Structures are given as structure tokens and as C-alpha cells.
Amino acid sequence: MKTLSERQQLILSFIEEFIEEHDYPPTVRDIQHGCGISSTSVVSYNLDRLKDSGALSRDSEVSRGLKLAGQKGGSSGPVSIDTVAVPLLGTIAAGSPFPMPENDTWSDLTGQELIDLPQAIIGTGDGLYALKVRGESMIDALICDGDLVIMEQTSTVRNGQMAAVRIKSDNSTTLKHYYAEGPRTRLEPANPLMEAMTFNSDDVEVLSRVVGVWRYLG
Amino acid sequence: MKTLSERQQLILSFIEEFIEEHDYPPTVRDIQHGCGISSTSVVSYNLDRLKDSGALSRDSEVSRGLKLAGQKGGSSGPVSIDTVAVPLLGTIAAGSPFPMPENDTWSDLTGQELIDLPQAIIGTGDGLYALKVRGESMIDALICDGDLVIMEQTSTVRNGQMAAVRIKSDNSTTLKHYYAEGPRTRLEPANPLMEAMTFNSDDVEVLSRVVGVWRYLG
DNA sequence: ATAATTTCCGAACATTAGTGCGGATATAAT
DNA sequence: ATTATATCCGCACTAATGTTCGGAAATTAT
């Protein structure tokens, strides 16, 4: 049996993910653009090759007439270790109020979406929660749309740590590196190309500490 | 909530059986003939009613763009908290050569530092490796010093995915969103405030795909 | 090198398939 | 009955989508 070309494997994995996302197969043109192929005929050609090799079946003259043959291969044998489940409490977006765990929220986590993180890198996971970032409002913090921010609810952070802080006079909330310097508090964006700002310490309220950021590019 | 008409229930069950048989949803006309309806517009009308009632979702202007509400992904088993161990191969810094897994590196992982990541968000973990970022040379990619970049060794990525690409004429390597557009290839920084650049496709070599970024602020 | 084969390209082309519209028909409310 | 609402009918229109074809380019075999 002929081995699949790189492009054919790419197409195959694209189809798989497309179905995973949409619950229906892609069109020839979906594949074309998704895989950066210049012509629909090339897609059609490779689909026929894939059909020949038995990797999929194809209904002629039917839009989205694709069916993967070798569905999900059984997962090999992932090593099981301890993980910590962290509740996904909501999303942050520019302007929207900053979601915070509340007393009853903690006790009633039923139905909450949970994010599993390895204990090895997270620690005990006590008091941790996750927020999903919406929009590009946190570019300054090197955080973009879709990122998952892991936070620890605390009102005290050490200098240099990143925290969700509220500027009372603005009633705005941002993620910044925190530096208490006596009566003044300096907030420094993660992006070193951007300028820091200082406020009266009274004006700055620490909401949570940022423990980690997870960006998944599937 | 309105109760479904007989015809709507018929359509619903037809869609269900059709998907069962073909693995892709029917067209409006498939439904028309399958349910003995005289006009496509009647089908379209009832599909909209079914959408209103939440029985299914419909992608506009998309052939077979149907998804039954009660169906979601594959088998929903018990949530496993398995993790996958990913080898930490080295560090990336500005100017330094981009570390890549080599043949013997793969076979001899003894003593390699391993990073555990949840299988739930990483997948099988096949062909994955991790690199630690040194320095601020990747600010454009919203990646900063200390970040852990999870990569998959592949030379083919789909449009829109982020990848480690080498510009041959520069002999430089960066992380960019990749868009193959025929003879030209567009590389787009993750930071939407920055401009994209295009190169001759010959001049661009894909080294690895970026699967995820983990930033730990302990 | 030369020829054979595979793969790719671009541009039509032809069918498939979703949508819109005027009007008919039924069903329910007033 | 009369109005309102929901459903249906055909038909035409347009967008979506699979296919074809001549030729170029890359790969492999002789």
C-alpha cells in the first residue's frame, strides 16, 4: 500500500478536526483554504487518492460526501498522574466586570466546567480558579483572546507578581505586575515595551494573583 | 414552547436516520424527497421552525449545515484525568538555533526533563515536545521570557495555525500564524496590533506547529 | 539524460443546494 | 364571517460545490 503524502495526511487531519467542530464534513473548498491548497482540483485529486488508499469513502457529486474510514484509534497508554481540577468561573472581556469566586460559588461547584491541570506545575490547587479571556483587551499583558488564565484568590501579592488589580478611581480592572512602593504602587505591563504607571496605593485593590496562563492553539 | 408539528417530527427523525446512515447531514432536497414534501421552501421553513424550537442548529448558506441538538461529539465517557508527558528539549532565545527533536533524541529520552500536561487539552501527545523561552525576542507572538512553548514536530500546518517558521533568506526563525496563499505565504504575528508580512512560499520552511503556551508565574 | 508517473495549477463548467417571493390553503382567534 | 397566523406550494434566483481539462511542475523509474 502506498504511503500517504504529507498533504494527504494534512487533509485527513483537517477533515477529522472539521467534523469534530461542525458535526458535518467539510467541502472541497473548506479543505482547500484550511490546508492552503491553491486549487480545488488538487483537493479533489488527493481525496480520490485517499479514497483509493481506503482512508475515507467519498460519495460522488455529493457535497460534503466524505466519511472517514479509520476513525479514532484507541489512545495508547497515557501515564496517569495527579491532576488538580480548577473551576472555570467565566470569561473576562474589556469592560465587563471581573468575575470573582463567591462564597456560595465555591461550595456549589456542581455543573461548573472544570479544567484539569497537573499538580506538578500548579501545586495543591487550593483557591485556584480559571477565567477565559475574550477579546484583545489584554494584549499589554501578553494575553490574547482564548487564553485561559489561572488565578488564585488572594488580596496580597509580592512585588513583581502578576495580579488582577482594580483601580478604584477608574473602576477598571487589569492584569499587571504589581510593585508596592510605600505610598505609591507601580503597575507594570508584562510587555516590557510598554510603560509602567504608578498610583496611590489606596487607589489600587488586588483582586487575585495570576498563577498561570494557558494558551491552546488546537 | 410550541409543540412540534407532525411534519417537523418526521423531518427530525429523517435527519437522524440520514446521519446514522451517511455520517453527514441531508440537504434540504434530501429531506424533501425523504419526507414526501412538495417544495424545498417548505423544508426550509420547517427547518427554521425546528431551529427556533432548539431542536437543531442550522448554519446559514451552508449545504448540509445541520446539527441535531441532542448530538454532541462522540462517546462521552467518564472524564479521565490522564496526563501526557512531554519532553523539554531545550530553550529558545533570540539568535540561537531553534532546537528540534532529532532521531536519537526521541529514542533516548532518559534523563530528559518531562513536562506533564493534561491529555484533555493536549490530545494524545504524539510528537510533542516543549521549549523554554529565554529573553523577550518573541513579544510579537505574545510570548515572554520563561514561557513554556508546546510544539508538535511537523512540516505541514493548516492556515491560521501558529508555527515555528524559518525564513530561509534571512536564516531567521519566528513564531507566526501561518497562511499559505499559493505562491506567497503570509505570516501574521499573534499580536493583532502588528503587521503581517508575506514571503515567497519557497522561502518559508515550517519547522513545528505551536500547540500551546504555558506561562507559570509562581 | 530521457521517459513515465504523480502531483499540482488555474480556470472554466455544470450540478447541487439554500433562499426569496407571490400567492394558495389551512387553522385558529375575534 | 372576518381577520390573523401558520403552513404549504411552485418557481425562479443565486450561491455553494464537485468535476473536468489542458498543461506545468515535481518526482520516480529506465
Side-chain angles (χ1 to χ4, degrees):
Chain A
M1 166 177 151
K2 213 106 184 278
T3 92
L4 297 181
S5 78
E6 229 166 68
R7 179 165 273 184
Q8 283 155 15
Q9 294 181 353
L10 183 62
I11 290 177
L12 215 48
S13 73
F14 174 80
I15 295 174
E16 203 167 335
E17 283 191 30
F18 189 100
I19 293 179
E20 177 68 28
E21 181 175 343
H22 296 89
D23 278 332
Y24 50 80
T27 66
V28 168
R29 282 170 181 80
D30 289 333
I31 299 171
Q32 179 192 7
H33 298 130
C35 298
I37 297 174
S38 57
S39 173
T40 56
S41 62
V42 176
V43 178
S44 187
Y45 171 81
N46 283 289
L47 286 178
D48 283 338
R49 287 300 82 70
L50 285 166
K51 180 182 177 178
D52 292 344
S53 81
L56 52 78
S57 65
R58 217 185 161 199
D59 292 352
S60 190
E61 318 236 333
V62 168
S63 74
R64 305 175 193 274
L66 302 172
K67 185 187 328 191
L68 291 178
Q71 300 274 51
K72 311 265 177 181
S75 54
S76 41
V79 188
S80 172
I81 346 175
D82 293 334
T83 60
V84 175
V86 171
L88 177 59
L89 288 191
T91 65
I92 1 175
S96 71
F98 194 83
M100 293 282 295
E102 294 160 26
N103 291 338
D104 40 347
T105 310
W106 279 114
S107 49
D108 174 27
L109 290 180
T110 326
Q112 285 281 359
E113 190 171 354
L114 295 178
I115 309 293
D116 287 318
L117 294 171
Q119 192 182 39
I121 52 177
I122 274 297
T124 148
D126 226 39
L128 295 186
Y129 63 101
L131 296 176
K132 187 145 204 174
V133 176
R134 278 275 147 260
E136 307 292 351
S137 59
M138 295 180 156
I139 287 289
D140 294 357
L142 296 180
I143 290 171
C144 63
D145 184 79
D147 283 5
L148 216 51
V149 180
I150 317 295
M151 317 210 65
E152 176 191 12
Q153 188 181 27
T154 176
S155 57
T156 59
V157 298
R158 291 197 301 279
N159 276 359
Q161 292 187 321
M162 179 174 264
V165 295
R166 196 172 77 90
I167 313 298
K168 295 177 185 167
S169 56
D170 285 7
N171 193 27
S172 66
T173 301
T174 58
L175 302 184
K176 292 275 162 56
H177 286 287
Y178 177 92
Y179 292 91
E181 294 169 336
R184 302 282 285 176
T185 293
R186 183 161 48 90
L187 299 181
E188 205 169 70
N191 187 337
L193 303 180
M194 314 219 54
E195 297 269 314
M197 305 206 303
T198 63
F199 298 85
N200 286 326
S201 296
D202 298 348
D203 196 24
V204 177
E205 177 189 13
V206 173
L207 301 176
S208 279
R209 189 173 71 86
V210 179
V211 174
V213 178
W214 172 242
R215 179 179 308 150
Y216 182 57
L217 312 158
Chain B
M1 168 176 156
K2 237 148 154 232
T3 95
L4 298 182
S5 78
E6 214 167 277
R7 179 164 273 185
Q8 282 156 13
Q9 293 182 1
L10 181 62
I11 290 177
L12 215 48
S13 69
F14 174 80
I15 295 175
E16 204 166 337
E17 284 187 30
F18 191 100
I19 293 179
E20 179 67 29
E21 181 176 342
H22 296 89
D23 277 336
Y24 49 80
T27 65
V28 169
R29 281 170 180 79
D30 288 334
I31 299 172
Q32 180 192 6
H33 299 129
C35 297
I37 296 173
S38 56
S39 172
T40 57
S41 62
V42 176
V43 177
S44 186
Y45 171 82
N46 282 288
L47 285 178
D48 283 338
R49 289 299 82 70
L50 285 167
K51 179 182 178 178
D52 292 342
S53 80
L56 53 78
S57 65
R58 220 186 159 196
D59 291 353
S60 189
E61 318 239 331
V62 168
S63 75
R64 305 175 191 275
L66 301 172
K67 178 174 354 182
L68 292 178
Q71 106 185 29
K72 187 56 187 176
S75 52
S76 55
V79 183
S80 79
I81 50 171
D82 292 331
T83 61
V84 175
V86 171
L88 177 60
L89 289 191
T91 65
I92 3 176
S96 72
F98 194 84
M100 294 281 294
E102 295 161 23
N103 292 339
D104 41 346
T105 310
W106 278 116
S107 50
D108 174 27
L109 291 179
T110 327
Q112 287 281 359
E113 190 172 351
L114 293 179
I115 309 293
D116 290 314
L117 293 170
Q119 189 191 33
I121 50 179
I122 273 295
T124 148
D126 227 40
L128 296 184
Y129 63 100
L131 295 176
K132 190 145 200 172
V133 175
R134 277 275 149 261
E136 307 290 351
S137 59
M138 296 182 154
I139 288 290
D140 293 358
L142 297 178
I143 290 170
C144 63
D145 184 80
D147 283 4
L148 215 50
V149 181
I150 316 296
M151 316 210 63
E152 176 191 12
Q153 187 183 27
T154 175
S155 58
T156 59
V157 298
R158 289 199 296 282
N159 278 358
Q161 293 186 323
M162 179 173 262
V165 294
R166 196 173 76 88
I167 313 297
K168 296 177 184 168
S169 56
D170 286 6
N171 194 26
S172 66
T173 300
T174 59
L175 303 185
K176 291 276 162 56
H177 287 285
Y178 176 92
Y179 292 90
E181 294 169 337
R184 303 281 288 176
T185 293
R186 182 161 48 90
L187 299 181
E188 208 169 68
N191 187 336
L193 303 179
M194 315 220 52
E195 296 267 313
M197 306 206 302
T198 63
F199 298 85
N200 286 324
S201 296
D202 298 347
D203 196 25
V204 177
E205 178 188 12
V206 173
L207 300 177
S208 278
R209 189 172 72 85
V210 178
V211 175
V213 178
W214 171 243
R215 179 179 307 152
Y216 183 57
L217 312 158

